[in-house]
Amino acid sequence: MRLTMDTETDTYEQAIAAVQAAYGLRPAVPDAWRDAPDAKPRPGPQDLADDALTGGWTDQLLFRVIASLVPGARAALRRVTELGGTASYDDVQRYFADHPSTPILPSTIGGTLTSIKAVQRRVGPDSCGPLLQRDERARRYQIDDGLVAGLYRAFALADVRPDLLRGEPFGSAT
């Protein structure tokens, strides 16, 4: 975002109003500022649907899960979602072994993904199946088909509002 203020012509109130508008807040615009930018509301989880998908899940609940995950688990869940809801263990491990922004060692991917189960217990609907299912025999991860579209919508909001996502704790590695 780029914000330019002219310190010779803009007042302090205009500068504050411009910063507030840039962050989607509703500024108190001074009367003297005739060409003030309109404050556009920023999308948030409340803009996602709250009607039930599969197993009591809603787009809002899926976003809450995504927002609460550690970055590595969020990236892995996104990867399985991007692959249509099904991915082999090997594909996920290879993808993240040399990933440029979220590398996860093959030996630690399972531990990283336990965050999904823990977060689901805290914010997911009661008595639902696991969001990310592990099939040990077929060695694959799977997401219920009815949830894949909702996850796409939740990740789209996450892309627009990364400020709502949990970050990596300082100094820790995935």
Side-chain angles (χ1 to χ4, degrees):
M1 166 185 351
R2 172 174 260 159
L3 184 64
T4 306
M5 289 172 236
D6 185 344
T7 57
E8 292 182 16
T9 60
D10 293 340
T11 66
Y12 172 78
E13 290 79 15
Q14 289 171 327
I16 293 299
V19 170
Q20 289 173 333
Y23 282 94
L25 304 173
R26 293 183 181 18
V29 180
D31 294 335
W33 195 9
R34 290 182 200 86
D35 59 344
D38 290 334
K40 295 178 185 144
R42 296 178 75 192
Q46 72 281 358
D47 297 321
L48 292 170
D50 63 352
D51 21 326
L53 300 170
T54 302
W57 286 100
T58 66
D59 288 357
Q60 290 180 5
L61 286 174
L62 290 171
F63 179 80
R64 287 180 57 199
V65 168
I66 289 169
S68 300
L69 292 174
V70 295
R74 185 181 315 118
L77 183 61
R78 179 186 290 251
R79 179 67 179 155
V80 175
T81 301
E82 289 170 347
L83 293 172
T86 303
S88 75
Y89 288 5
D90 294 335
D91 288 342
V92 173
Q93 288 175 345
R94 271 195 306 273
Y95 181 80
F96 286 103
D98 297 318
H99 196 273
S101 62
T102 315
I104 304 170
L105 295 173
S107 61
T108 63
I109 190 91
T112 301
L113 295 177
T114 59
S115 152
I116 296 172
K117 195 182 275 186
V119 168
Q120 178 181 333
R121 276 194 304 269
R122 196 177 72 237
V123 299
D126 294 330
S127 65
C128 63
L131 176 60
L132 181 67
Q133 302 162 27
R134 293 173 51 147
D135 183 342
E136 298 294 336
R137 270 175 66 175
R139 294 192 44 80
R140 70 175 182 207
Y141 297 107
Q142 187 166 351
I143 300 168
D144 189 300
D145 290 339
L147 299 177
V148 174
L151 283 167
Y152 273 115
R153 291 186 292 270
F155 278 119
L157 176 59
D159 291 341
V160 174
R161 294 291 308 272
D163 57 306
L164 298 176
L165 305 178
R166 173 182 176 185
E168 191 69 50
F170 181 74
S172 72
T174 306

